[in-house]
Amino acid sequence: MEILRSVSELRQWSREQRKNEGNSIGLVPTMGALHAGHASLIRAAAASCSHVAVSVFVNPTQFGPNEDYARYPRTLEADCALAEANGASVVFAPSVEELYPAGAATFVEVEGLSNRLDGASRPGHFRGVTTVVSKLLIAAEPDRAFFGQKDAAQVAVLRRMVADLRLAAEIVVCPIVRESDGLALSSRNAYLSPSERTQALALSRAIRKTEALAASGQHRDAILIETARQILAAEPDIRVDYIELVNWATLEPVETAAPGSLFAIAAWVGATRLIDNTILA
Ligand code: AMP
């Protein structure tokens, strides 16, 4: 597996592939510690693009001062093996200095949306995400970029960014990959103790209950949110960050669930913050 380290190498690689008519470039941005959720994105990219770049970069600007940037898992060797096995052509693994050159003072921010959901509890988080993803899109010039519905608010912010900047890449959203017991895969699941791991199942339980209520005709925000809150409240080490029913495009709260509404949960399980969501049918 070829590992590219500089923006100019990535751009050169992308332009080289494009010289052959019919070739297309897929980009899968990640922070590494790759798992089956990332693998599903890479496979989707390989299925629809002739060449796939997977970026592995723990982006410092999307972490708050008291968050887990320093201890975030870094497993590049295993990441390259997983990327290759799932159809990636190259891995882009730049240094922090490569993506943020000395004196870097340019940021990309989607106003409004960036202060909703995770953006409300993690100030500056989405500004870091939009800044790094725009750098990656400008460098790789992909036809399509692949993201997980797991980070549904991130998807809304990135769709707005791509539309506003009139970027050429198409955003493709892939379903949430879960463990067999329902827990949404996350690199942060590695932080959970065995007891926390068990309690964390309350998130996916609450999501499934919400889906069942909505399917049975219960669309009121207050009832859906309160039911989920009670499921999470039964776990001693869980503290809710937010439970919201929103319009997926604007991230603004809605009182009545409609097809396409986003029901999203963020909760602390011990010291680990986990998220889960569903797009209601
Ligand atoms: P991360 O490395 O956590 O920044 O995630 C990189 C990409 O993988 C993002 O687009 C995530 O939404 C996606 N992703 C993470 N976990 C999952 C999952 N369980 N299922 C599907 N996609 C995921």
Side-chain angles (χ1 to χ4, degrees), residues 238-257:
I238 290 192
R239 183 166 54 84
V240 171
D241 179 357
Y242 66 71
I243 305 175
E244 293 211 43
L245 177 69
V246 300
N247 174 309
W248 193 13
T250 63
L251 301 183
E252 289 299 327
V254 294
E255 290 180 354
T256 308

Side-chain angles (χ1 to χ4, degrees), residues 29-32 35 37-38 40-41 62 72 146-151 154 174-178 184-187:
T30 81
M31 297 206 300
H35 50 60
H38 300 110
S40 76
L41 267 54
Q62 71 188 71
Y72 198 85
F146 295 78
F147 296 91
Q149 184 202 309
K150 162 93 187 324
D151 296 84
Q154 166 174 286
C174 300
I176 301 175
V177 176
R178 298 177 179 281
L185 291 183
S186 164
S187 307

Side-chain angles (χ1 to χ4, degrees), residues 14-21 23 25 141-143:
S14 171
R15 291 187 177 175
E16 199 59 40
Q17 312 316 318
R18 267 175 196 292
K19 282 190 183 150
N20 293 327
E21 209 183 308
N23 278 1
I25 307 294
E141 300 176 338
D143 296 274

Side-chain angles (χ1 to χ4, degrees), residues 37-57:
H38 300 110
S40 76
L41 267 54
I42 299 168
R43 283 199 303 276
S48 79
C49 303
S50 62
H51 294 78
V52 175
V54 175
S55 65
V56 173
F57 180 66

